[in-house]
Amino acid sequence: MLSLALLAIMGCSNKGGAAEGETDEQIAARYVEILGYRIVDPAGEVAQYTLDQTMLENLDYMQLWSVQKQEPDAYFGKKIITYRFLVENHPLEQQYPPDEYRIAVNVMLADHEVIGGTSGPLSIIKNLIVAGGEYSIEGKTLKEIKGLDYSQWLEHWKESYGTEVK
């Protein structure tokens, strides 16, 4: 009986959703901590928009969605809010030394639930995001997330969301 009760409690916990009274930023911060990262600076809200298909013709949104596990279709018409956190204990620290870079994690929420996010290195000297594409919130590349190289993924993207890239 005890194991069934524990199973029921664990099944009801929602890692990416709201606990009673939590703000979206608190939900995002909790998610970052669940991933095992230590927040050193909560940078706050960095974006808020309602997703529509025309946005997916923009290179920035294409790159953002290229490293999400889910396709963007499920979020058309929904308001997406993104919060940024500077973190430690992130896999990208293996590629980008902490004495030169800080790792930024961006957490995306829709309807008070985490739907994905990105991560990337910021140069300490110039406080700029390093060029070279997006990483998933876990520090994975498009190939690791989608199982496709860029040209294969781009072909799929054009078929799904249009061919005109802005």
Side-chain angles (χ1 to χ4, degrees), residues 47-78:
Q48 187 174 137
Y49 58 91
T50 300
L51 186 63
D52 66 53
Q53 184 159 347
T54 61
M55 297 171 83
L56 301 179
E57 296 173 1
N58 178 294
L59 186 59
D60 292 334
Y61 289 104
M62 287 174 63
Q63 289 180 336
L64 168 82
W65 284 97
S66 73
V67 292
Q68 304 310 310
K69 292 176 182 163
Q70 194 162 338
E71 295 294 320
D73 308 55
Y75 304 105
F76 287 157
K78 293 191 183 261

Side-chain angles (χ1 to χ4, degrees), residues 28-58:
R30 183 167 45 89
Y31 186 77
V32 168
E33 291 169 348
I34 287 169
L35 291 174
Y37 313 144
R38 188 175 77 76
I39 297 171
V40 294
D41 184 11
E45 184 180 315
V46 293
Q48 187 174 137
Y49 58 91
T50 300
L51 186 63
D52 66 53
Q53 184 159 347
T54 61
M55 297 171 83
L56 301 179
E57 296 173 1
N58 178 294

Side-chain angles (χ1 to χ4, degrees), residues 37 64 67-69 90 92 104-106 117-120 134-142 144-145:
Y37 313 144
L64 168 82
V67 292
Q68 304 310 310
K69 292 176 182 163
H90 190 280
L92 288 178
V105 169
N106 299 307
T118 60
S119 59
E134 295 277 0
Y135 293 95
S136 73
I137 201 165
E138 298 92 1
K140 295 182 179 182
T141 64
L142 174 137
E144 293 169 311
I145 295 289

Side-chain angles (χ1 to χ4, degrees), residues 84-112:
R84 175 172 290 165
F85 302 90
L86 298 180
V87 301
E88 291 178 343
N89 198 33
H90 190 280
L92 288 178
E93 290 173 337
Q94 303 305 312
Q95 287 178 257
Y96 300 97
D99 59 331
E100 295 178 36
Y101 300 95
R102 296 178 292 173
I103 304 302
V105 169
N106 299 307
V107 180
M108 303 182 327
L109 291 96
D111 298 327
H112 312 291

